[in-house]
């Protein structure tokens, strides 16, 4: 890893930030992970949180599209030293920062010392910009996805009541049990008809995790199946902006209040960007 470890040790000596890194993931695509990420950020901003989103989905990087924005630069330009973090970051509604990711994210492990130092110093400035860094990961068991998840302070896993979604969610949880056993995992059940449906879905997943993985999950909440979600996606205008009174967004506002609680009273000390990068780079 060249001199990555020594660079990170030097940075780790600086004062620790209280910024938390939260990774949003799912066992399969199409369960509403990015929609939840975008609207969760909007709801958190309503609670006074300063939020930055890192688009970590290498195959379908689309956080900027969900906000109706066009990314001129991505993390790739940061990694090669062409642009600074301030130059690649987009500003969304309510002051939300958006770091377009794309294929550049996976190149983080292949940097020489000079470029790595530049990237870390740039990302380190997020400490003064945000209270929360939310990573919209890719779906499934990809190498980069699991690295992000085991380096985060908290994981929010999105699933739906569909059997295939639950099966894939369990597969990801099985991997995380081995790779990220210490990271708290919070479940959000999306597209439910009722609270009972949501609770039953969570119970099925939790029972399997307790029985076969000897682990535990936290039920963070649910989002109702709401046709206005599809309308907002087609308009490229997030639900929290276009339909803030919708039943789905009210659920997300409630979930955001719980996420704020994670930030205010974390189960363990937050490592901030430096702690996140330290764990992330060790995993490559």
């Amino acid at each position: 890893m060249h001199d990555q470890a020594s660079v990170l040790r030097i940075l780790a000596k600086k004062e620790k930030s209280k910024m938390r890194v939260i990774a949003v993931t799912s066992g399969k695509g199409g369960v509403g992970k990015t929609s939840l990420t975008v609207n969760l950020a909007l709801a958190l901003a309503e609670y006074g949180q300063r939020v930055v989103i890192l688009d970590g989905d290498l195959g379908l990087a689309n956080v900027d599209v969900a906000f109706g924005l066009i990314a001129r630069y991505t993390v790739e330009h940061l990694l090669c030293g062409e642009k600074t973090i301030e130059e690649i970051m987009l500003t969304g509604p309510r002051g939300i920062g958006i770091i377009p990711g794309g294929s550049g994210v996976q190149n983080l492990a292949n940097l020489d010392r000079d470029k790595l130092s530049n990237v870390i110093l740039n990302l380190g400035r997020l400490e003064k910009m945000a209270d929360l860094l939310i990573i919209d990961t890719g779906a499934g068991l990809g190498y980069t996805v699991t690295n992000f998840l085991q380096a985060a302070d908290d994981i929010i896993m999105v699933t739906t009541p569909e059997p295939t979604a639950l099966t894939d969610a369990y597969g990801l949880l099985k991997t995380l049990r081995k790779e990220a056993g210490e990271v708290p995992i919070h479940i959000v059940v999306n597209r439910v008809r009722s609270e009972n449906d949501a609770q039953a879905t969570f119970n099925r997943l939790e029972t399997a995790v307790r029985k076969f993985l000897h682990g535990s999950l936290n039920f963070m909440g649910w989002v109702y199946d709401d046709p206005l979600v599809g309308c907002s996606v087609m308009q490229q205008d997030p639900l929290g902006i276009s339909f803030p009174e919708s039943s789905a967004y009210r659920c997300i506002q409630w979930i955001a209040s719980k996420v704020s609680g994670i930030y205010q009273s974390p189960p363990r000390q937050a490592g901030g960007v430096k702690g996140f990068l330290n764990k992330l780079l060790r995993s490559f």
Side-chain angles (χ1 to χ4, degrees), residues 214-266:
H214 308 291
S216 62
L217 303 171
N218 174 48
F219 190 21
M220 180 159 278
W222 61 87
V223 180
Y224 290 121
D225 191 7
D226 189 336
L228 292 177
V229 175
C231 294
S232 71
V233 171
M234 293 301 295
Q235 295 175 10
Q236 291 185 306
D237 200 14
L239 193 68
I241 300 296
S242 54
F243 304 105
E245 301 300 320
S246 62
S247 62
Y249 187 64
R250 287 187 179 276
C251 288
I252 294 173
Q253 287 175 311
W254 168 56
I255 292 169
S257 71
K258 292 190 173 186
V259 174
S260 295
I262 293 172
Y263 170 71
Q264 293 166 2
S265 302

Side-chain angles (χ1 to χ4, degrees), residues 2-256:
H2 304 289
D3 291 309
Q4 291 182 7
S6 59
V7 173
L8 288 166
R9 278 195 296 270
I10 292 171
L11 288 172
K13 292 179 181 178
K14 297 183 179 180
E15 183 179 356
K16 290 186 177 181
S17 168
K18 294 182 179 179
M19 188 184 79
R20 293 193 67 78
V21 179
I22 298 177
V24 182
T25 192
S26 61
K28 67 186 292 289
V31 298
K33 173 180 57 64
T34 296
S35 177
L36 177 73
T37 300
V38 166
N39 287 291
L40 182 62
L42 287 169
L44 285 164
E46 292 178 356
Y47 285 111
Q49 300 289 318
R50 299 173 302 159
V51 183
V52 171
I53 302 174
L54 168 61
D55 193 342
D57 191 333
L58 307 185
L60 297 170
N62 56 3
V63 169
D64 54 332
V65 176
F67 278 107
L69 302 173
I70 299 176
R72 184 175 181 183
Y73 306 111
T74 70
V75 166
E76 190 74 40
H77 296 90
L78 177 65
L79 298 185
C80 68
E82 291 182 8
K83 298 295 178 181
T84 65
I85 189 71
E86 291 85 0
E87 289 173 324
I88 70 169
M89 187 183 297
L90 302 173
T91 301
R94 300 174 192 166
I96 295 169
I98 301 134
I99 303 175
S103 60
V105 175
Q106 63 187 348
N107 296 328
L108 183 62
N110 302 318
L111 298 179
D112 58 35
R113 178 182 178 182
D114 292 338
K115 289 185 177 180
L116 178 67
S117 300
N118 176 60
V119 169
I120 292 175
L121 289 173
N122 269 273
L123 292 179
R125 292 204 291 275
L126 290 174
E127 304 279 17
K128 296 182 179 179
M129 300 178 192
D131 303 308
L132 288 166
L133 173 63
I134 302 178
I135 303 174
D136 181 31
T137 75
L141 297 170
Y143 180 65
T144 303
V145 173
T146 54
N147 285 338
F148 275 140
L149 296 179
Q150 63 184 327
D153 291 309
D154 290 276
I155 296 169
I156 296 177
M157 180 176 292
V158 185
T159 188
T160 68
E162 297 176 358
T164 54
L166 284 174
T167 299
D168 290 337
Y170 176 79
L172 180 55
L173 287 166
K174 185 176 181 180
T175 298
L176 292 177
R177 179 66 176 166
K178 299 177 181 178
E179 304 292 339
E182 296 182 358
V183 183
I185 301 175
H186 313 274
I187 303 298
V188 171
V189 185
N190 195 21
R191 299 175 189 157
V192 300
R193 296 180 179 179
S194 67
E195 178 181 346
N196 288 338
D197 287 343
Q199 188 66 59
T201 300
F202 174 76
N203 289 344
R204 287 196 294 272
L205 193 57
E206 184 187 39
T207 298
V209 168
R210 287 188 180 277
K211 182 176 181 180
F212 299 109
L213 303 182
H214 308 291
S216 62
L217 303 171
N218 174 48
F219 190 21
M220 180 159 278
W222 61 87
V223 180
Y224 290 121
D225 191 7
D226 189 336
L228 292 177
V229 175
C231 294
S232 71
V233 171
M234 293 301 295
Q235 295 175 10
Q236 291 185 306
D237 200 14
L239 193 68
I241 300 296
S242 54
F243 304 105
E245 301 300 320
S246 62
S247 62
Y249 187 64
R250 287 187 179 276
C251 288
I252 294 173
Q253 287 175 311
W254 168 56
I255 292 169

